[in-house]
Amino acid sequence: MGSIPINRLEDVRATHNVVSAVRDAEAARGIIEALERHGVEGSRIALLGSRDAAVRPSPLRWAVGRVGRLFGTGLILGSIAGAAFGWMTAIGGQAAALLWAVFGGVVGAFAVVVSSFGVSRAWWRTFAAESAGTLAVGVHTEDPAEAALAARVLESARPMSMNRF
């Protein structure tokens, strides 16, 4: 099974570019999360890499496992919240806690799985990035204000190096 190259700068370059070199995929993931929390549009964030860095296609088992873990987390947290709500309000008698737990579990599982789809593609790629080669996180935009925001966020993350052009 071959590797797919991570985005090259030539493929994503825009009028305003801010790129920071990071030590590993985990650091890249943290920077991407910070950029999105501060309002940088996910489609303008790219995971960049050297020729040696690549992304392995994630096996179906990994993808199914990730969705299963998200679903399970939402199910458990929603069930606990639903049971607590049913027990505190006692709406529907003694069966209320169980019914609210089921309802809360369904809503929680759905909410967690759906909310994971809003994460940028670059963030997802950090899970499959090979350790060989240099990784970088880049923001590529036509908006100078968004580039300035990205530069502030990247600087606060203390990357190995940062370039703005």
Side-chain angles (χ1 to χ4, degrees):
M1 209 175 235
S3 296
I4 302 166
I6 293 176
N7 292 329
R8 295 175 303 159
L9 184 57
E10 300 82 34
D11 299 334
V12 293
R13 195 172 217 169
T15 305
H16 302 280
N17 302 277
V18 185
V19 178
S20 65
V22 296
R23 66 185 172 280
D24 56 26
E26 187 176 333
R29 192 174 312 122
I31 288 175
I32 292 167
E33 289 169 356
L35 287 166
E36 290 179 338
R37 262 194 322 272
H38 284 86
V40 175
E41 174 64 37
S43 64
R44 296 186 183 111
I45 302 170
L47 181 65
L48 305 165
S50 67
R51 288 199 183 276
D52 296 337
V55 172
R56 289 186 183 158
S58 55
L60 180 60
R61 183 175 45 167
W62 178 85
V64 169
R66 172 132 175 94
V67 170
R69 284 190 299 279
L70 288 171
F71 183 82
T73 301
L75 184 67
I76 290 168
L77 294 176
S79 295
I80 291 168
F85 179 78
W87 179 74
M88 289 179 356
T89 61
I91 299 172
Q94 291 201 340
L98 179 61
L99 294 173
W100 279 104
V102 171
F103 176 74
V106 170
V107 171
F110 180 76
V112 170
V113 170
V114 169
S115 69
S116 72
F117 295 129
V119 180
S120 73
R121 179 181 221 169
W123 185 84
W124 283 105
R125 292 185 89 171
T126 63
F127 287 99
E130 292 180 12
S131 58
T134 305
L135 291 175
V137 175
V139 174
H140 313 283
T141 181
E142 302 302 319
D143 182 6
E146 188 173 42
L149 170 66
R152 287 192 302 275
V153 172
L154 291 171
E155 284 173 355
S156 69
R158 298 185 181 186
M160 294 169 40
S161 68
M162 189 177 93
N163 293 308
R164 187 171 177 182
F165 50 94

